[in-house]
Amino acid sequence: MLHDRVLVDLDRDAGERRSSGGIVIPATAAMGARRLQWSKVIAVGPHARAVEVGDRVLFDPEDKAEVEVHGEVYVVMRERDVHAVAAERLEAGSTGLYL
Protein backbone atom coordinates (compact mmCIF):
# COMPACT_ATOMS: atom_id res chain seq x y z
CA MET A 1 0.00 0.00 0.00
CA LEU A 2 1.20 3.50 -0.74
CA HIS A 3 0.92 6.75 1.23
CA ASP A 4 -2.19 6.88 3.47
CA ARG A 5 -4.15 4.16 1.66
CA VAL A 6 -6.11 1.55 3.60
CA LEU A 7 -7.11 -1.88 2.25
CA VAL A 8 -10.19 -3.40 3.90
CA ASP A 9 -11.96 -6.73 3.58
CA LEU A 10 -15.52 -6.00 2.46
CA ASP A 11 -17.94 -8.01 4.60
CA ARG A 12 -20.62 -9.07 2.11
CA ASP A 13 -22.88 -10.55 4.85
CA ALA A 14 -22.99 -7.32 6.87
CA GLY A 15 -25.59 -5.79 4.58
CA GLU A 16 -28.39 -8.10 5.67
CA ARG A 17 -29.96 -7.14 8.97
CA ARG A 18 -33.11 -7.62 11.06
CA SER A 19 -35.68 -5.04 12.01
CA SER A 20 -36.87 -4.72 15.61
CA GLY A 21 -39.93 -6.78 14.62
CA GLY A 22 -37.75 -9.64 13.33
CA ILE A 23 -38.15 -8.97 9.61
CA VAL A 24 -35.00 -9.72 7.57
CA ILE A 25 -33.96 -6.73 5.44
CA PRO A 26 -31.69 -7.81 2.54
CA ALA A 27 -28.60 -5.83 1.58
CA THR A 28 -30.17 -4.99 -1.77
CA ALA A 29 -33.15 -3.17 -0.20
CA ALA A 30 -33.18 0.54 -0.99
CA MET A 31 -32.99 2.72 2.11
CA GLY A 32 -33.82 6.41 2.36
CA ALA A 33 -30.60 7.34 4.15
CA ARG A 34 -27.09 6.12 3.38
CA ARG A 35 -25.69 3.55 5.79
CA LEU A 36 -22.04 3.33 6.79
CA GLN A 37 -20.33 -0.06 6.90
CA TRP A 38 -17.78 -1.69 9.22
CA SER A 39 -14.88 -3.65 7.68
CA LYS A 40 -11.60 -5.18 8.84
CA VAL A 41 -8.30 -3.55 7.81
CA ILE A 42 -6.05 -5.90 5.83
CA ALA A 43 -3.17 -3.55 4.94
CA VAL A 44 -2.17 0.11 5.44
CA GLY A 45 0.29 2.45 3.77
CA PRO A 46 3.31 3.89 5.60
CA HIS A 47 1.65 7.30 6.14
CA ALA A 48 -1.55 5.99 7.76
CA ARG A 49 -1.48 7.33 11.33
CA ALA A 50 -4.68 6.23 13.11
CA VAL A 51 -5.34 2.87 11.46
CA GLU A 52 -3.44 -0.40 11.90
CA VAL A 53 -3.85 -3.87 10.40
CA GLY A 54 -6.58 -5.76 12.26
CA ASP A 55 -8.61 -2.67 13.22
CA ARG A 56 -12.24 -2.34 12.18
CA VAL A 57 -13.10 0.85 10.32
CA LEU A 58 -16.39 2.56 9.51
CA PHE A 59 -16.71 4.03 6.02
CA ASP A 60 -19.26 5.00 3.37
CA PRO A 61 -19.60 2.09 0.92
CA GLU A 62 -20.71 4.51 -1.81
CA ASP A 63 -17.26 6.20 -1.77
CA LYS A 64 -15.14 3.13 -2.45
CA ALA A 65 -12.82 1.63 -5.02
CA GLU A 66 -12.97 -2.16 -5.21
CA VAL A 67 -9.95 -4.22 -6.21
CA GLU A 68 -9.58 -7.97 -6.72
CA VAL A 69 -6.47 -9.66 -5.29
CA HIS A 70 -6.04 -13.44 -5.72
CA GLY A 71 -9.78 -13.84 -6.35
CA GLU A 72 -10.81 -11.88 -3.22
CA VAL A 73 -12.55 -8.50 -3.45
CA TYR A 74 -11.19 -5.71 -1.24
CA VAL A 75 -11.82 -1.97 -0.92
CA VAL A 76 -9.05 0.63 -1.20
CA MET A 77 -9.60 4.06 0.35
CA ARG A 78 -7.69 6.97 1.81
CA GLU A 79 -7.37 7.17 5.57
CA ARG A 80 -9.33 10.43 5.57
CA ASP A 81 -12.36 8.52 4.18
CA VAL A 82 -12.56 6.48 7.40
CA HIS A 83 -15.29 7.77 9.72
CA ALA A 84 -14.36 5.73 12.83
CA VAL A 85 -11.81 3.16 14.03
CA ALA A 86 -12.54 0.33 16.45
CA ALA A 87 -9.29 -1.04 17.90
CA GLU A 88 -8.53 -3.67 20.54
CA ARG A 89 -4.99 -2.38 21.13
CA LEU A 90 -6.06 0.36 23.59
CA GLU A 91 -5.63 0.33 27.36
CA ALA A 92 -8.31 -1.02 29.69
CA GLY A 93 -11.16 1.32 30.51
CA SER A 94 -11.35 3.03 27.12
CA THR A 95 -13.99 2.26 24.52
CA GLY A 96 -11.58 1.50 21.68
CA LEU A 97 -13.73 3.55 19.34
CA TYR A 98 -12.56 6.80 17.79
CA LEU A 99 -14.86 9.04 15.76
Side-chain angles (χ1 to χ4, degrees):
M1 301 301 303
L2 296 174
H3 309 295
D4 67 338
R5 300 302 193 267
V6 178
L7 182 73
V8 298
D9 187 9
L10 192 58
D11 188 6
R12 300 282 179 199
D13 298 331
E16 186 174 280
R17 56 194 183 280
R18 282 191 188 274
S19 69
S20 59
I23 298 172
V24 176
I25 303 169
T28 56
M31 300 296 290
R34 295 185 347 195
R35 292 184 60 92
L36 299 178
Q37 182 175 355
W38 287 99
S39 291
K40 184 177 179 182
V41 176
I42 303 300
V44 295
H47 298 294
R49 296 179 297 178
V51 179
E52 293 183 9
V53 174
D55 290 349
R56 293 186 49 81
V57 294
L58 185 67
F59 69 98
D60 186 356
E62 300 294 323
D63 301 331
K64 64 180 179 174
E66 291 186 356
V67 62
E68 186 173 339
V69 179
H70 299 294
E72 297 290 328
V73 177
Y74 299 101
V75 172
V76 177
M77 70 184 89
R78 296 186 82 137
E79 186 180 30
R80 69 179 180 200
D81 296 331
V82 172
H83 294 273
V85 178
E88 296 181 13
R89 65 182 180 276
L90 302 173
E91 63 276 350
S94 78
T95 63
L97 181 63
Y98 286 93
L99 301 177

